[in-house]
Structures are given as C-alpha cells and as structure tokens.
Amino acid sequence: MEMKENFIKRIIEHKGKAVNFYCDEVLLPNGRNSTREYLDHPGASCVLPFLDENRIVLVKQYRYPIGKETFEIPAGKIDKGETPIECIKRELKEETGYSAGKIDKVLSFSPTPAFSNEILHIFAAFDLKQETKNPDEDEFLSNEIADFKTAIQMIYEGQIIDAKTIIALLYFNTAEKNISKNDQSRWRA
Ligand SMILES: [Mg+2]
C-alpha cells in the first residue's frame, strides 16, 4: 500500500533562530488533503565521551522547556556546511573542554518523527585530552564525571531522562562485552 504523503504548500508559522515551525498542506494516499505541523530542525550530533573503561563525561544543564536540570551527553546543532563529525568535535570541545583522539560513529536516530524532521547522530569519544572549554554565551553547563554503571542506574531511577543520553548509554551497556573483547585499544588513555 502506497503511504507517501505529497507536499502541496507550506505556511511558515514561525521562523526561529535555531528552528522553524511549519504547517504543510499535503495530499494523502486516499486523494484527500490534510495538514502536517512540524518543527524544522537542522540536525544535531551528540557524543558519549569515555575517560576510561568505567568513567564517562556528562554535562548538567538547565532545560527551560521542561523546567529541570538534566544530565546529558554533550550535544549541539549542526552548523551550516558542517558534517556531523565536525559538529561533534566542536561541541565536545566547547561544552566540556575535551578533545578526543578517537571518535566513532554509533548510530543515527529520529527522536520525534511525528512532529520534527530532526536527525540526531550519536558518536563515542575515546583518548580524551582536557583543554579549555568555550560554551556559547547563553549556555551554562558543568561537567559531571560519572561512573558508567552509576549512569545506567540513574536511567532506571529516573534521574537521567534525556532521550539521546539514554539511547547512547543503553547502547554501550548492551555492546560493552563485545567492545572490551574485540577492541581493547579503545580504552588506552
Ligand atoms: Mg548543547
């Protein structure tokens, strides 16, 4: 069964600095018209930075839309002309002050396909070196060095609620055995 919905026209509800909000009129497979409201997002990269086999770097920051401080892996929106890996190298340095000797792609996912076209690219960083951090002027965050197993526990206790952070941590919690068996060199300082 054909499920594709075809674009007819767009109303730009809001043009923002970081994201836009669109209302598109679409042609449905049954020949009728409908509207699709969604957030237009440039895409983002995030990274789980490993200090060693047991310790990771999280950032704590206040998230205005949910009115809470969160523990998250470092992340940021992709700038124009930037590749996902260039973005995450820049964001890791800006947000935490760390540069990485080795960065691996983990996976990409769509956090909210119902109302946003955002794609998030997850990376893992190894061989970290502390340099100076340089956050955006409206960004206040602190580095939180966490034990990996404690961070997994924090998911189950509801203390880590950020989606990209949960996905990255659970990915490595599942992949952990393979990684330590097949690629010990990842953990070299
Ligand atoms: Mg950020």
mmCIF file of all heavy atoms in Angstrom, residues 2 30 43 45 52 63 66-67 69 72 91 107 109 115 144 172 176 178:
data_model
loop_
_atom_site.group_PDB
_atom_site.id
_atom_site.type_symbol
_atom_site.label_atom_id
_atom_site.label_comp_id
_atom_site.label_asym_id
_atom_site.label_seq_id
_atom_site.Cartn_x
_atom_site.Cartn_y
_atom_site.Cartn_z
ATOM 1 N N GLU A 2 0.548 2.152 -0.928
ATOM 2 C CA GLU A 2 1.277 3.431 -1.010
ATOM 3 C C GLU A 2 0.940 4.293 0.214
ATOM 4 O O GLU A 2 -0.229 4.504 0.522
ATOM 5 C CB GLU A 2 0.863 4.145 -2.306
ATOM 6 C CG GLU A 2 1.402 5.552 -2.486
ATOM 7 C CD GLU A 2 2.920 5.623 -2.568
ATOM 8 O OE1 GLU A 2 3.485 5.000 -3.482
ATOM 9 O OE2 GLU A 2 3.509 6.284 -1.702
ATOM 10 N N ASN A 30 -5.169 8.582 -0.081
ATOM 11 C CA ASN A 30 -6.566 8.376 -0.498
ATOM 12 C C ASN A 30 -7.113 9.533 -1.335
ATOM 13 O O ASN A 30 -8.304 9.607 -1.616
ATOM 14 C CB ASN A 30 -7.462 8.134 0.732
ATOM 15 C CG ASN A 30 -7.536 9.355 1.644
ATOM 16 O OD1 ASN A 30 -6.982 10.410 1.334
ATOM 17 N ND2 ASN A 30 -8.213 9.209 2.771
ATOM 18 N N GLY A 43 19.298 19.278 12.419
ATOM 19 C CA GLY A 43 20.006 18.046 12.784
ATOM 20 C C GLY A 43 21.035 18.361 13.847
ATOM 21 O O GLY A 43 21.448 19.520 14.028
ATOM 22 N N SER A 45 24.375 16.583 16.551
ATOM 23 C CA SER A 45 25.283 15.488 16.903
ATOM 24 C C SER A 45 25.442 15.456 18.412
ATOM 25 O O SER A 45 25.368 16.492 19.078
ATOM 26 C CB SER A 45 26.655 15.696 16.269
ATOM 27 O OG SER A 45 26.584 15.571 14.870
ATOM 28 N N ASP A 52 37.774 6.483 30.560
ATOM 29 C CA ASP A 52 38.415 5.169 30.580
ATOM 30 C C ASP A 52 37.290 4.144 30.516
ATOM 31 O O ASP A 52 36.149 4.500 30.206
ATOM 32 C CB ASP A 52 39.318 4.989 31.823
ATOM 33 C CG ASP A 52 38.578 5.267 33.114
ATOM 34 O OD1 ASP A 52 37.402 4.853 33.229
ATOM 35 O OD2 ASP A 52 39.156 5.909 34.015
ATOM 36 N N ARG A 63 17.222 22.889 31.530
ATOM 37 C CA ARG A 63 16.460 22.836 30.281
ATOM 38 C C ARG A 63 15.136 23.549 30.489
ATOM 39 O O ARG A 63 14.206 23.032 31.135
ATOM 40 C CB ARG A 63 16.227 21.375 29.871
ATOM 41 C CG ARG A 63 17.496 20.679 29.376
ATOM 42 C CD ARG A 63 18.098 21.384 28.199
ATOM 43 N NE ARG A 63 19.030 20.551 27.444
ATOM 44 C CZ ARG A 63 19.703 20.977 26.394
ATOM 45 N NH1 ARG A 63 19.594 22.227 25.975
ATOM 46 N NH2 ARG A 63 20.521 20.166 25.751
ATOM 47 N N ILE A 66 11.376 22.026 29.975
ATOM 48 C CA ILE A 66 10.855 21.079 30.973
ATOM 49 C C ILE A 66 11.069 21.585 32.403
ATOM 50 O O ILE A 66 10.664 20.925 33.360
ATOM 51 C CB ILE A 66 11.442 19.651 30.807
ATOM 52 C CG1 ILE A 66 12.973 19.648 30.946
ATOM 53 C CG2 ILE A 66 11.021 19.028 29.493
ATOM 54 C CD1 ILE A 66 13.554 18.245 31.106
ATOM 55 N N GLY A 67 11.712 22.742 32.543
ATOM 56 C CA GLY A 67 11.873 23.353 33.863
ATOM 57 C C GLY A 67 12.707 22.532 34.826
ATOM 58 O O GLY A 67 12.448 22.511 36.031
ATOM 59 N N GLU A 69 16.870 20.657 35.695
ATOM 60 C CA GLU A 69 18.259 20.383 35.344
ATOM 61 C C GLU A 69 18.345 18.946 34.845
ATOM 62 O O GLU A 69 17.696 18.055 35.402
ATOM 63 C CB GLU A 69 19.152 20.536 36.576
ATOM 64 C CG GLU A 69 19.466 21.985 36.891
ATOM 65 C CD GLU A 69 20.323 22.142 38.128
ATOM 66 O OE1 GLU A 69 20.720 21.125 38.734
ATOM 67 O OE2 GLU A 69 20.580 23.294 38.498
ATOM 68 N N GLU A 72 23.134 15.123 30.652
ATOM 69 C CA GLU A 72 23.093 14.746 29.234
ATOM 70 C C GLU A 72 24.493 14.486 28.714
ATOM 71 O O GLU A 72 25.473 14.973 29.276
ATOM 72 C CB GLU A 72 22.492 15.896 28.396
ATOM 73 C CG GLU A 72 21.088 16.266 28.787
ATOM 74 C CD GLU A 72 20.518 17.385 27.916
ATOM 75 O OE1 GLU A 72 21.030 17.601 26.797
ATOM 76 O OE2 GLU A 72 19.568 18.042 28.365
ATOM 77 N N GLU A 91 31.495 20.676 19.353
ATOM 78 C CA GLU A 91 30.627 20.744 20.541
ATOM 79 C C GLU A 91 31.285 20.124 21.774
ATOM 80 O O GLU A 91 31.145 20.642 22.880
ATOM 81 C CB GLU A 91 29.288 20.046 20.268
ATOM 82 C CG GLU A 91 28.369 20.812 19.344
ATOM 83 C CD GLU A 91 27.715 22.033 20.002
ATOM 84 O OE1 GLU A 91 27.791 22.162 21.246
ATOM 85 O OE2 GLU A 91 27.154 22.859 19.268
ATOM 86 N N LEU A 107 25.301 5.506 15.976
ATOM 87 C CA LEU A 107 24.078 5.369 15.177
ATOM 88 C C LEU A 107 23.415 6.728 15.008
ATOM 89 O O LEU A 107 23.793 7.692 15.675
ATOM 90 C CB LEU A 107 23.108 4.368 15.811
ATOM 91 C CG LEU A 107 22.670 4.557 17.262
ATOM 92 C CD1 LEU A 107 21.510 5.533 17.396
ATOM 93 C CD2 LEU A 107 22.206 3.219 17.850
ATOM 94 N N PHE A 109 19.440 8.580 14.824
ATOM 95 C CA PHE A 109 18.031 8.285 15.099
ATOM 96 C C PHE A 109 17.184 9.537 14.982
ATOM 97 O O PHE A 109 17.689 10.659 14.987
ATOM 98 C CB PHE A 109 17.859 7.606 16.466
ATOM 99 C CG PHE A 109 18.020 8.538 17.647
ATOM 100 C CD1 PHE A 109 16.903 9.013 18.332
ATOM 101 C CD2 PHE A 109 19.276 8.924 18.079
ATOM 102 C CE1 PHE A 109 17.042 9.856 19.427
ATOM 103 C CE2 PHE A 109 19.425 9.773 19.174
ATOM 104 C CZ PHE A 109 18.309 10.241 19.849
ATOM 105 N N PHE A 115 6.506 14.990 14.844
ATOM 106 C CA PHE A 115 6.392 16.444 14.696
ATOM 107 C C PHE A 115 7.721 17.171 14.502
ATOM 108 O O PHE A 115 7.788 18.383 14.686
ATOM 109 C CB PHE A 115 5.615 17.056 15.870
ATOM 110 C CG PHE A 115 6.268 16.852 17.211
ATOM 111 C CD1 PHE A 115 7.235 17.723 17.657
ATOM 112 C CD2 PHE A 115 5.907 15.777 18.012
ATOM 113 C CE1 PHE A 115 7.838 17.526 18.880
ATOM 114 C CE2 PHE A 115 6.500 15.588 19.228
ATOM 115 C CZ PHE A 115 7.480 16.464 19.668
ATOM 116 N N GLU A 144 30.135 16.684 34.535
ATOM 117 C CA GLU A 144 29.888 15.733 35.612
ATOM 118 C C GLU A 144 30.560 14.423 35.205
ATOM 119 O O GLU A 144 30.113 13.767 34.269
ATOM 120 C CB GLU A 144 28.381 15.501 35.803
ATOM 121 C CG GLU A 144 27.572 16.758 36.067
ATOM 122 C CD GLU A 144 27.785 17.308 37.468
ATOM 123 O OE1 GLU A 144 28.025 16.516 38.399
ATOM 124 O OE2 GLU A 144 27.715 18.551 37.621
ATOM 125 N N PHE A 172 25.769 1.254 24.778
ATOM 126 C CA PHE A 172 27.074 0.771 25.243
ATOM 127 C C PHE A 172 26.947 -0.228 26.381
ATOM 128 O O PHE A 172 27.819 -1.072 26.563
ATOM 129 C CB PHE A 172 27.997 1.941 25.603
ATOM 130 C CG PHE A 172 28.678 2.472 24.390
ATOM 131 C CD1 PHE A 172 28.150 3.544 23.701
ATOM 132 C CD2 PHE A 172 29.812 1.847 23.892
ATOM 133 C CE1 PHE A 172 28.748 4.001 22.539
ATOM 134 C CE2 PHE A 172 30.418 2.293 22.726
ATOM 135 C CZ PHE A 172 29.880 3.379 22.059
ATOM 136 N N GLU A 176 28.804 -3.457 25.495
ATOM 137 C CA GLU A 176 30.010 -3.438 26.321
ATOM 138 C C GLU A 176 30.874 -4.691 26.189
ATOM 139 O O GLU A 176 32.075 -4.584 25.969
ATOM 140 C CB GLU A 176 29.593 -3.256 27.784
ATOM 141 C CG GLU A 176 30.747 -3.068 28.722
ATOM 142 C CD GLU A 176 30.262 -3.121 30.164
ATOM 143 O OE1 GLU A 176 29.387 -3.957 30.451
ATOM 144 O OE2 GLU A 176 30.763 -2.350 30.962
ATOM 145 N N ASN A 178 31.114 -6.954 23.823
ATOM 146 C CA ASN A 178 31.773 -7.004 22.521
ATOM 147 C C ASN A 178 32.937 -6.057 22.445
ATOM 148 O O ASN A 178 33.996 -6.415 21.960
ATOM 149 C CB ASN A 178 30.786 -6.600 21.426
ATOM 150 C CG ASN A 178 30.022 -7.792 20.958
ATOM 151 O OD1 ASN A 178 30.460 -8.913 21.188
ATOM 152 N ND2 ASN A 178 28.891 -7.554 20.326
#
